[in-house]
Structures are given as structure tokens and as C-alpha cells.
Amino acid sequence: MKDYGLSDLLDLAIIQKMADAHYRAAGMPIGIIDAIDGSVLVGSGWQDICVKFHRANPLSLDRCRESDNYIKDRLVQGEACHYKCQNGLWDIGVPVVVAGRHLATLFLGQFFYEGESPDRESFIRQAHEFDFDVNDYLAALDRVPVFSREKVDTILEYDKALVAFIADLAEHALFKIKADEKIRESERKFRAVFDQAYQFIGLLSIDGKVLEANRTALAFVGAEETDAIGRPFWETPWWTHSPELQEKIRLAVPAAAKGELIRFEASHPTVDGDPHYVDFSLKPVEDETGRVIMLMAEGRDITERKRTEKDRLANLRFFESMARVNRAMQGANDLDQVMGDVLHEMLSIFDCDRAWLLYPCDPEAASWKVPMERTRPEYPGAFELGVEVTMDPDAANHLQTALAASGPVTFGPGSDQPLLGDVMDRFQHKSQILMAVYPKVDKPWLLGMHQCSYARVWTQEEKRLFQEICRRLGDTLNSLLMYRDLRKSEAKTHSILNHIGIGVALISQRMEILELNRRMREWFPAIDPGQRPICYQVFNDPPRQELCDHCLTCKTLQDGLVRETTTQMLRPGGTRSYRIVSSPIFNPSGQVTAAIEMVEDITDKISLESQLRQAQKMESVGRLAGGIAHDFNNMLGVIIGHTELALGQMDPTQPFFTPMQGIQNAALRSADLTRQLLAFARKQIVAPRVLDLNQIVEGMLKMLRRLIGEDIDLVWLPDPDLWPTRMDPSQIDQILANLCVNARDAIAGVGKITIETHAVTFDEAYCANHAGFVPSDFVMLAVSDNGFGMDKETLEKIFEPFFTTKGMGKGTGLGLATVYGVVKQNNGFINVYSEPKQGSTFKIYLPRHAAKSEKARKKTQVAPDAQGNETILLVEDEISILEIVRLMLEKLGYRILVASTPSEAITVAEEHADDIHLLLTDVVMPEMNGRELAQALISLCPGLRSLFMSGYTSNAIAHHGVLGDGINFIQKPFSMQNLAAKVREALDSEI
């Protein structure tokens, strides 16, 4: 509430009239000044000396204000304050106090007391000081009234009463203002509460006409006051939507007017058209005498409460239904049983005619099937359960629609999806709901329901429940499928454990066997679950814990370490070696709860590892031998070439002729040794063809008999149904010659050597138990003798180059090494069976060739001393070889162009004007190999023929030593006679 001034509380015009009457009666100037802002509220009889002079001049006005403030500061309610101002006039002030507040001051003043003559000289000085007109100022001074003190006191007593009267009037006015404000505030609050109340409120006359209606009630139906005020309540917009409700209200008004409380629930349409529920009451309003003076209509919108109640009931039904479904889902671990129970519950919950599962929900699949369904007797299923049904376009469309949706899809009434196709005809349903179910394993499923008895429209509540069932079904399917897969996995694991080649035992913390696989039971039939593990019963009898780390491991499982040990045991058939690994099994907390003991029979593995080490050793020796042969061949080529040229220029009677022949023979024997080294290292060049091994052996029998001597009987046992094989016939000669000579040397005196052939097939089962054998068809060549045989240590070394058991000077140690290299080069393998004093058998297995015959390459017969006059381009990076070959060729009559590198050879060919007939080149050279050089020169020299030379094989002209078709090749070292024949053969060959 604001602070009111005196002017707000009283009519100042009346107070002015009172002041004027006061002046006329008493002659005393009077004024009332506002105590808050200093404004003059009322004034009468004010003297000119003050109005026209003292208060008109700013400087003298300060003296007037000083007087006013002096009095104001010393005022006391009901008392008067006297003060003679600096201008020499008297002022008297009485405060006007209203409700304890000093609102104004009544001033009496601008007078002189009798006996106090004014000092005219001082007033003249003031006139000059403030620039007043002296005469006018003195004239105003003469008009100032003069009163006796008795009169002033009398007037003052009257004015004190006047001030009290004015204060009392103002206080009554202030009380009335405040009371009115409270009433207005109360009315505002009532109107605010009335209009802003959540309830619908209206005031009616006792005859039912609307007197008032709050905003909430009007806004509820979108009405204005003019639509309701003054009209019968039952004819207002709140009830016109229902004639029944209008009549009910019309009858309720007289009953309420007699003091009866009317209450009921009604349905009302709102502005937006949605139906709302209202709790309505019509109450009588009585005065203090109990007489009904009006009626109050009140309504509460209970739509949300109704909806909440409806939702609560729906949720209750939802959770009750889900509880039933959950119990069905948790009933068992069997997929068919659980799914059948769920469909049975759904049939009851939704009161539908058919509930089913379809699998797979894959529109791209060729077919689908119904593995599970539940139906009412009068609406049986249309498909036999579990039978594959061909995917037609309508079924594919249903599946695509389900997969594309995030929730249930309905078909039929109330849906955008019509019922179409063969499926509808078969099932005779009028409405359908379905949804894709996604387990984490396997493909999606489809859950659906049919309503056959009527055209059902599925509600949102039903869709929500169906969706939640599908979601839970997905989780359950996931668990059941995982459980099914787990059982399959466990069965598979047991199957694997029972078929693997190692023994497996599960051991408890008490060191008792929980489970054994089949291999463990076969190896150790005396061991049963519940007993001590293998390490205790088999390998620790008698106890030897201090020597057996494995036993210590099983006793101290809590250390969590994996330990391994090996041991041997005498078994039927001999001593077997075993590797034992014991591994702890941890629970989720990291504690050891059991152990797995794995026992592996490593007897054969140890043997295989020994064979592998031997094979690696042979391979290393082979690489070394091949490298030595290559370098050695180059040196031998120079020696053989120079000695041959020298002997051609010497008379046999000369003293150096015979030593030179010795040098030549030694070089040729050395060349034979290098060829044997190349055969062992699989670096020799061969020209294989398809052949009948029996024919090749029979062609050698006469020579072999002369080789082994008359004291040894040579027996030939051919297989008449022998398959063909493919290899260089000369290699057969090498094999047989070396094996027969080796067999002859192993026989002391009279003996027998047997050569036999067989067609042999090895399957995987046989090879799995026979190290070194390969599953396939083979041609076997066996050479056996009844000589003194070999021990185990000798057998491990017989194929190593230079290893021999013969005396000094009786063997080079390359015979069996050559056999080994030849067999490996032809993708075969060799096995030796021998024991001391029991003889030896070498069995060679060569791959079977599918073709029966093969055309042999035609070779032109060339004279040993053939010569010519063609131009030959000779390319060799070894200068000594280049020089000796050039001399040989020139000796034979050919024109020679030489180059030590491929780039130099190309330059020579480009600069040579005439034809070049033959390229004689080394194979392995810097920059490019011999074959690449030949291809580069063909464009420069059309019709150019090529002859390649090398001391060992190269993949440039041969694959793994096998010479390609149409390749002319001469093996280093060579004689001039060999060179003459090969050069002539190359020059005369067809391109």
C-alpha cells in the first residue's frame, strides 16, 4: 500500500475555505505546507513582504527555508513551535500527524508582537542587499500585522484544535481508503482464483440462469461469456452436445435449489473434439439464515485420471500376460517344448484362432517352413509342420514387410496391408499380425497370429504386448539356440576328443579322474574315473615323486602353471615314449578348480624328427655338392679343352704325349665325379620320356650280369601289369648300375641279387602309419641282396656324398648319393630295409604316369668329327672358358664372334653385317640369362639357332633339371668331339 499525503486524504478546497475564514476572523496569516515535498497546500492572508519580496528572491528565500526547517525539526504533536526568522518576522508551526506520520505543518506567521517595533534601518539595508525597491519594501513592512501575545496565544489554542480536527479527518479518510483497497484486493484475488481455478466453476441463480462462469469453464468448450451469462444452464454449450445430459441438468436445478447436492460423471467434447470425462457437482449456496441464495456448478476434468486408470488396468493385463509368457519361456531347455508353450499362451492371451512360428524369415530363401503352431480345433493349420514350402511372391512380400518394419505388422482390417495370395486361401484367416524375431544366432524367425472367426482390428495395446512378446522370444530363442548349439558343440567336442590321437583326462582338485577320452581308455584300460591320474598310476609306480615334475604339478595345482614332461613305458610291441602336459582350469574368480592332463604318444614323432634332421642334412650337403660341381666343371672344361688341343698337335712318339693323356683321363674321371655330384644334388640336366620300366631293365640285364660277375646270381622278377613312368632312361641305368655294384660289394663269395618291379598304391590310412610314404600310385623298382647287411648307424648315412664302408681306393662314396638324387629329382622316394647279416633291400617308388606312350624327339645322327664354316656367336662370362671354346670351334672350321657379357653380345650382333647362324651361350650370366639373351637376339638375327651350355641345371632352360622340348644343351665340361656333334646337331635342327 502506498504512502498517502494530506492532499490524498482531504479535499484541500474545503481546507482553503477554512483558512480564509480563519484569516478573516483573526487577521492572522495561515498556511499548511506538505511535510514530504515542502509544497504549499493551503495559504490565506500571506503578507506581501514574504510573498513578493522574501520568498521571491533566491537569496532571501534561503532565510525563509531556514526558518521552515527550524520549526519542522522541532515540531511535537499537539505542541507549537515559535521562531523569529532572520528577516525579523515571527512564525509559529503546529504539526499535522496522521496515523503516526507527520504529513503537513500548519504555519501561523508573518507578524510582529506588540512592543517589538521593527528596525527600519535593518530592513532598508536588506532592501539594498537584495535589490528590493526600498519604498515598496517599506510599504509592505508597514502592512505586516501586529498582535499582542494574549491574542496570539488565543488564536494558537484554536489552531491546535483545528490541527487535531484536520488530522482526525485525514485519519478517517486514510482508514476508508485502506479498507476500500483491501476490498478491491480481495475482489481481485477472488476473481483471479475464480478465473484461474483448475476446476470449472459457475454461479447460477436458483432458477438455473448463469450468473458467472470462470475462464476455465468457458475455455473448456470454447465459449464466450455472452454464450452463457443469463441463459438457463442446461442450454449452454456445456450440455448442448447431449439431450440426455440437458434433461438431467434441468431436473437437477430445482433439486439443488431445495438444498440437495447433485453429483455425477459426464462425458464432454472439448474444443479439439477429443472426449473428456468430467466429475460434475451442483451445490446450493446458503446465506447466514440457511436460505439458498444461489447455486454453484463445479466440474473437474478427470480424463487423465480415467486414462491413468485405463492404462493401469491395461498395464496390469500386460504384465499378467507377460508373466504367463515368461513362465512358458522359462519352463524348459527344449526348444520345441518352450516354443509350443509360448504359442499356447498366446492363443489364450489374445483370444486368437491360430499362433505360429515360421522359419527362416528370409525372402531370398528358396523355401520356408512352419516348425511350430497352436490352433483352435475349428481352425487347424494349413501346412504340415516342418515341411519345406516353396517361396512364392506373396510369401516373400510378407517376409520383406516384416523385416522392414521395426514393430508388428498387421494385414487386413485397420491396416494398409491387404490379405492376398495362396497363404490367405489356405489359412482362411480374416486378419493377421506378425513380426520378425531376431535371435543373435541363426537367421530371423517370424511369429504370427491369425484371426479366422471375424475381421479383427488389432489395437495399439495388443500390438505393444505382441511386440514385447516377440522381443522376449528373440532373447529366449537366442538362449535356446545357443543351448542347442552348446549341446551340439559338447557332443562334437566329445567326438573330437574321442577321435584325436592323444589321451585326455579331466582331474579334480582331489587328484581324482573325472573323465577319460577313448584313446586314454584304450591305452590304459585299467584306469577308471574316480582313481588317481595317469601320472600316479602308470608313471609313478613305484612312487618317484622326487624325479617326476608332472606328479608335483598335479599336487600343486594352485600355482596355476602349465607343466610338461616326457617319459617312457614298456608296452606290448616295445617301449613307447609319451609326452604329458598338465594344465590348470580356472573359475571366473581365478581359482584353480581342476586340471586337464594330455598324454601324447611321441614315439613315431621322435622317429620322424630324426628323419627330418637327416633329410635337412642331405639337402644341405646337396646344395654344397652342387655349388662345388659348378665351379669344378668350369676348371675341368679348361683342362680338358687345352689337353685335347695339345694332343691333337703332338706326335704320339713325343715324350709328353703319354703324360698329357694321363692329364686328360684324370680330368675326364673328375668330370664323371662332378656329374655324380650333380645327380645327387638334383642339378643334372635330363630329358625324360614315358617308358616301360620292364623294357629298360631287360635291356640292361646283360650289361649288369657282366658288371656283378659270374659268382652272383641275378634274378629278374618283372610285374607283367606294370604302369608306365616318366623319366630319363639314362637315369635308370645310373640307378641300376650303382645299386647292383653296391649289392655285389656287400656279398662275400657266392650270392644272389634280385631285381623286381611292382605296381603299388598307397592310401592315406597306410601313409598315416608309415613315415615317408605318400598316398598315390607308384611304380616300384626293388634291388635286394643277401649280403652282410647294415646296422642302424650305417643306414642313417648311406646316402651322404663320399660316405662309404669300403676300403681305401675301392669306392668314391657317390653311388648311393647319385641314386638318392635321381629318385628325388623324379618326385619319387626310396626306402631301405637292412639288418646285419640279413642282407639289404632298396625299394624305389616312381610316380605312375597316366599316358601309355610319348613321342620321342627326333635326333639327327651326327658324325663325331663333324665340322662346318657357319658363323657362331660365342658368349661366356668366364674368360678362360670363352678362350678355350673359341679355339675348339675355330679348329672345327667355324667363324667365331665372341662376347663376355650379354650386352656386349647384342652390340656385336648389331654391328655384324653378315648372318649369324648359331648362338652358343652360357646359361647363368650377369645382366640376363642365356635364354633371355637368345630371345633378345632373335629380332636382330631371324633364323638364329641356340645351343646352351652349363655346368649345372638352371630354371632358365630346365625346370628342376628337366630339359624342355626343343632345347639344345651341352653339359660342361665337354670334349671337342662332344662340342662338334652338339654344334652340328643344333645347326642342322629344325627351328
Side-chain angles (χ1 to χ4, degrees):
M1 185 177 294
K2 77 172 192 174
D3 292 333
Y4 290 96
L6 191 65
S7 61
D8 298 318
L9 303 176
L10 298 178
D11 186 348
L12 295 181
I14 296 176
I15 304 301
Q16 182 65 49
K17 290 179 180 180
M18 292 175 66
D20 292 340
H22 178 280
Y23 179 68
R24 286 193 301 271
M28 174 69 77
I30 187 171
I32 298 176
I33 298 176
D34 193 293
I36 298 172
D37 59 10
S39 61
V40 178
L41 302 177
V42 172
S44 182
W46 283 31
Q47 298 299 302
D48 290 339
I49 195 168
C50 287
V51 175
K52 293 182 179 180
F53 293 98
H54 292 163
R55 291 186 179 272
N57 186 285
L59 296 177
S60 61
L61 177 60
D62 288 339
R63 294 180 178 179
C64 296
R65 287 175 176 171
E66 186 273 335
S67 174
D68 293 342
N69 290 332
Y70 178 87
I71 295 174
K72 179 181 177 182
D73 292 342
R74 290 164 175 76
L75 289 175
V76 178
Q77 184 177 1
E79 301 292 334
C81 179
H82 299 69
Y83 182 70
K84 187 177 184 179
C85 71
Q86 294 183 21
N87 292 321
L89 280 72
W90 281 95
D91 282 326
I92 302 173
V94 180
V96 181
V97 179
V98 180
R101 292 182 65 235
H102 179 200
L103 298 186
T105 303
L106 184 144
F107 280 97
L108 298 174
Q110 306 168 9
F111 69 91
F112 296 112
Y113 277 112
E114 289 180 354
E116 291 183 355
S117 299
D119 185 355
R120 296 183 69 84
E121 290 300 326
S122 65
F123 279 93
I124 293 173
R125 286 195 298 274
Q126 285 184 173
H128 290 296
E129 180 181 356
F130 299 121
D131 197 23
F132 297 153
D133 182 91
V134 176
N135 293 327
D136 291 341
Y137 182 56
L138 293 176
L141 174 66
D142 292 337
R143 292 192 294 273
V144 174
V146 178
F147 296 103
S148 67
R149 292 186 180 273
E150 292 79 11
K151 186 177 182 176
V152 171
D153 291 340
T154 300
I155 294 172
L156 186 58
E157 287 299 321
Y158 171 79
D159 285 341
K160 286 181 181 179
L162 178 62
V163 166
F165 175 74
I166 291 173
D168 188 55
L169 287 176
E171 190 163 339
H172 280 84
L174 178 62
F175 176 80
K176 184 177 184 304
I177 289 174
K178 290 183 177 180
D180 291 343
E181 285 187 352
K182 287 182 179 179
I183 291 172
R184 285 194 297 273
E185 180 66 20
S186 177
E187 289 177 346
R188 283 195 299 271
K189 289 180 180 179
F190 167 77
R191 177 55 60 181
V193 171
F194 183 76
D195 282 337
Q196 298 179 32
Y198 179 73
Q199 297 89 347
F200 313 137
I201 302 175
L203 298 178
L204 314 178
S205 64
I206 57 175
D207 60 356
K209 288 186 174 60
V210 179
L211 303 176
E212 293 280 352
N214 70 349
R215 295 177 186 174
T216 306
L218 293 171
F220 182 67
V221 291
E224 300 291 338
E225 285 187 345
T226 55
D227 299 327
I229 304 301
R231 300 181 63 182
F233 188 39
W234 53 88
E235 294 181 0
T236 57
W238 292 292
W239 309 106
T240 54
H241 69 283
S242 171
E244 293 81 8
L245 287 175
Q246 282 184 301
E247 181 66 14
K248 192 171 185 177
I249 291 297
R250 190 183 68 78
L251 296 174
V253 168
K258 294 178 181 179
E260 183 179 346
L261 172 64
I262 308 298
R263 185 173 182 179
F264 57 86
E265 291 183 3
S267 175
H268 289 260
T270 59
V271 178
D272 55 12
D274 292 336
H276 279 237
Y277 294 94
V278 175
D279 179 9
F280 174 77
S281 65
L282 189 61
K283 304 175 182 178
V285 179
E286 300 174 347
D287 63 9
E288 62 274 8
T289 65
R291 182 172 62 92
V292 176
I293 58 175
M294 68 176 66
L295 305 179
M296 185 171 71
E298 182 181 7
R300 297 173 185 270
D301 190 341
I302 59 173
T303 306
E304 194 63 34
R305 191 188 77 192
K306 285 282 189 180
R307 288 175 181 169
T308 301
E309 180 67 16
K310 183 179 178 182
D311 290 343
R312 187 185 70 81
L313 294 174
N315 286 335
L316 182 61
R317 289 192 296 271
F318 177 89
F319 289 118
E320 287 176 347
S321 299
M322 285 306 304
R324 292 170 60 182
V325 172
N326 287 337
R327 285 193 295 271
M329 290 181 180
Q330 298 168 2
N333 289 324
D334 181 78
L335 178 64
D336 292 340
Q337 179 181 341
V338 171
M339 292 299 100
D341 292 346
V342 170
L343 294 179
H344 177 78
E345 290 296 339
M346 291 179 65
L347 203 68
S348 171
I349 291 169
F350 289 94
D351 193 25
C352 61
D353 298 320
R354 187 182 295 116
W356 45 266
L357 278 169
L358 179 148
Y359 178 85
C361 183
D362 180 6
E364 303 297 328
S367 63
W368 53 275
K369 62 184 176 181
V370 178
M372 184 68 61
E373 72 176 353
R374 289 291 183 271
T375 65
R376 297 191 188 279
E378 60 270 31
Y379 299 105
F383 292 102
E384 185 178 349
L385 296 182
V387 175
E388 297 286 340
V389 180
T390 302
M391 183 72 68
D392 60 35
D394 291 326
N397 177 63
H398 275 52
L399 303 190
Q400 288 170 345
T401 303
L403 291 173
S406 59
V409 180
T410 60
F411 292 80
S415 169
D416 296 334
Q417 306 288 340
L419 290 167
L420 297 172
D422 180 62
V423 173
M424 183 191 71
D425 295 338
R426 290 196 188 187
F427 281 106
Q428 292 299 310
H429 58 283
K430 297 182 176 62
S431 178
Q432 177 177 240
I433 185 171
L434 51 82
M435 181 175 168
V437 177
Y438 297 89
K440 294 181 182 178
V441 295
D442 213 345
K443 294 181 180 179
W445 293 53
L446 193 67
L447 176 64
M449 294 189 301
H450 289 161
Q451 196 71 53
C452 306
S453 53
Y454 67 96
R456 180 172 185 166
V457 177
W458 304 93
T459 67
Q460 291 299 322
E461 179 182 342
E462 290 170 335
K463 292 178 183 178
R464 184 170 74 95
L465 177 58
F466 186 78
Q467 182 172 3
E468 180 61 20
I469 291 174
C470 289
R471 187 191 69 79
R472 289 298 312 275
L473 186 62
D475 295 338
T476 301
L477 268 174
N478 188 57
S479 299
L480 292 172
L481 291 171
M482 290 178 66
Y483 180 74
R484 183 191 66 184
D485 293 345
L486 177 61
R487 286 186 297 177
K488 290 181 179 179
S489 177
E490 288 176 346
K492 183 178 180 180
T493 301
H494 281 292
S495 177
I496 292 173
L497 287 175
N498 283 329
H499 288 86
I500 61 176
I502 65 172
V504 180
L506 183 63
I507 305 168
S508 71
Q509 282 185 308
R510 295 190 300 272
M511 300 310 302
E512 295 174 347
I513 295 175
L514 301 176
E515 192 173 347
L516 297 169
N517 74 337
R518 181 186 301 169
R519 184 55 57 94
M520 192 72 96
R521 292 193 297 270
E522 289 173 353
W523 284 348
F524 311 107
I527 305 300
D528 292 319
Q531 298 179 353
R532 291 290 187 174
I534 306 305
C535 65
Y536 272 72
Q537 296 195 54
V538 178
F539 305 123
N540 200 37
D541 187 18
R544 49 189 178 91
Q545 180 176 332
E546 68 279 0
L547 301 176
C548 181
D549 289 340
H550 185 60
C551 292
L552 184 61
T553 301
C554 290
K555 272 196 161 184
T556 57
L557 284 175
Q558 293 302 326
D559 65 6
L561 299 177
V562 176
R563 292 210 172 74
E564 177 181 333
T565 187
T566 58
T567 189
Q568 291 184 330
M569 181 180 178
L570 183 61
R571 305 289 294 158
T575 299
R576 308 296 295 179
S577 297
Y578 294 94
R579 182 170 73 101
I580 307 166
V581 177
S582 181
S583 302
I585 298 175
F586 301 92
N587 64 13
S589 302
Q591 297 174 329
V592 177
T593 57
I596 290 180
E597 187 172 79
M598 292 170 285
V599 179
E600 180 183 9
D601 188 333
I602 59 174
T603 308
D604 294 336
K605 181 181 290 188
I606 292 173
S607 176
L608 286 174
E609 289 176 352
S610 176
Q611 293 180 34
L612 176 62
R613 287 194 296 270
Q614 181 67 12
Q616 291 171 338
K617 177 180 177 182
M618 297 290 283
E619 184 68 22
S620 299
V621 173
R623 286 196 296 268
L624 175 63
I628 292 173
H630 171 255
D631 296 335
F632 199 40
N633 273 339
N634 280 336
M635 292 184 287
L636 289 175
V638 176
I639 296 171
I640 292 171
H642 280 294
T643 54
E644 192 171 14
L645 288 175
L647 286 171
Q649 297 174 6
M650 293 176 65
D651 189 296
T653 60
Q654 291 182 348
F656 291 108
F657 186 83
T658 300
M660 288 295 291
Q661 283 184 319
I663 294 173
Q664 185 182 38
N665 291 335
L668 292 173
R669 286 196 300 274
S670 297
D672 289 337
L673 289 175
T674 60
R675 275 191 287 274
Q676 288 180 297
L677 284 172
L678 287 173
F680 167 74
R682 286 161 275 165
K683 300 292 186 179
Q684 64 178 345
I685 300 295
V686 294
R689 63 182 177 87
V690 178
L691 50 82
D692 183 341
L693 187 58
N694 286 343
Q695 291 180 358
I696 301 300
V697 175
E698 287 171 358
M700 288 191 65
L701 290 176
K702 186 175 180 180
M703 183 272 290
L704 291 175
R705 286 191 174 96
R706 288 199 303 267
L707 187 64
I708 62 177
E710 297 178 354
D711 293 338
I712 297 175
D713 182 19
L714 181 61
V715 179
W716 166 232
L717 301 174
D719 182 347
D721 298 320
L722 195 65
W723 295 317
T725 188
R726 187 174 186 272
M727 64 184 299
D728 193 322
S730 65
Q731 291 183 306
I732 301 294
D733 297 346
Q734 286 180 296
I735 291 172
L736 286 174
N738 281 300
L739 290 180
C740 288
V741 168
N742 201 61
R744 179 201 65 190
D745 294 341
I747 298 173
V750 178
K752 181 172 71 172
I753 298 176
T754 302
I755 302 175
E756 55 184 319
T757 58
H758 286 289
V760 180
T761 299
F762 298 124
D763 58 20
E764 292 185 358
Y766 180 87
C767 296
N769 295 315
H770 293 78
F773 285 78
V774 180
S776 188
D777 294 334
F778 293 93
V779 174
M780 185 199 75
L781 172 64
V783 177
S784 304
D785 66 69
N786 59 353
F788 49 73
M790 294 174 281
D791 57 21
K792 182 178 179 180
E793 288 73 16
T794 303
L795 282 173
E796 291 178 352
K797 300 179 181 179
I798 57 173
F799 293 121
E800 295 180 9
F802 310 114
F803 174 78
T804 179
T805 59
K806 301 173 185 178
M808 183 67 67
K810 293 186 177 181
T812 62
L814 289 174
L816 292 179
T818 301
V819 172
Y820 177 87
V822 168
V823 172
K824 289 296 183 182
Q825 188 175 28
N826 287 278
N827 298 318
F829 61 95
I830 182 171
N831 281 312
V832 184
Y833 306 89
S834 182
E835 290 186 18
K837 299 181 182 180
Q838 300 297 320
S840 301
T841 298
F842 289 78
K843 290 186 177 182
I844 295 169
Y845 299 92
L846 301 171
R848 172 189 180 181
H849 193 275
K852 290 292 184 181
S853 62
E854 184 180 76
K855 290 183 179 180
R857 181 185 177 189
K858 294 182 178 179
K859 293 186 178 180
T860 305
Q861 296 296 324
V862 179
D865 56 350
Q867 297 186 4
N869 58 1
E870 290 90 346
T871 300
I872 299 174
L873 174 56
L874 173 63
V875 185
E876 170 62 64
D877 61 324
E878 183 66 44
I879 300 302
S880 58
I881 297 294
L882 177 68
E883 181 61 26
I884 190 61
V885 176
R886 181 185 66 80
L887 293 174
M888 289 180 176
L889 292 173
E890 288 177 347
K891 185 74 172 177
L892 293 171
Y894 296 102
R895 295 186 296 276
I896 307 303
L897 304 173
V898 297
S900 60
T901 64
S903 58
E904 184 182 353
I906 294 173
T907 301
V908 170
E910 290 173 342
E911 295 177 351
H912 186 71
D914 296 330
D915 292 338
I916 299 176
H917 302 93
L918 178 68
L919 169 67
L920 175 58
T921 178
D922 192 14
V923 175
V924 181
M925 295 182 295
E927 298 178 3
M928 65 179 72
N929 61 49
R931 190 162 193 171
E932 291 171 341
L933 174 61
Q935 292 171 349
L937 291 175
I938 286 295
S939 60
L940 297 174
C941 307
L944 179 68
R945 290 165 174 78
S946 301
L947 173 60
F948 299 101
M949 55 182 174
S950 180
Y952 73 120
T953 184
S954 168
N955 285 338
I957 61 168
H959 182 67
H960 296 301
V962 179
L963 198 63
D965 293 336
I967 301 295
N968 296 306
F969 177 76
I970 184 170
Q971 177 78 46
K972 292 180 182 180
F974 46 77
S975 65
M976 190 164 68
Q977 184 179 9
N978 297 139
L979 179 61
K982 282 291 184 179
V983 168
R984 193 70 261 163
E985 180 183 333
L987 285 169
D988 296 340
S989 65
E990 297 179 1
I991 298 177

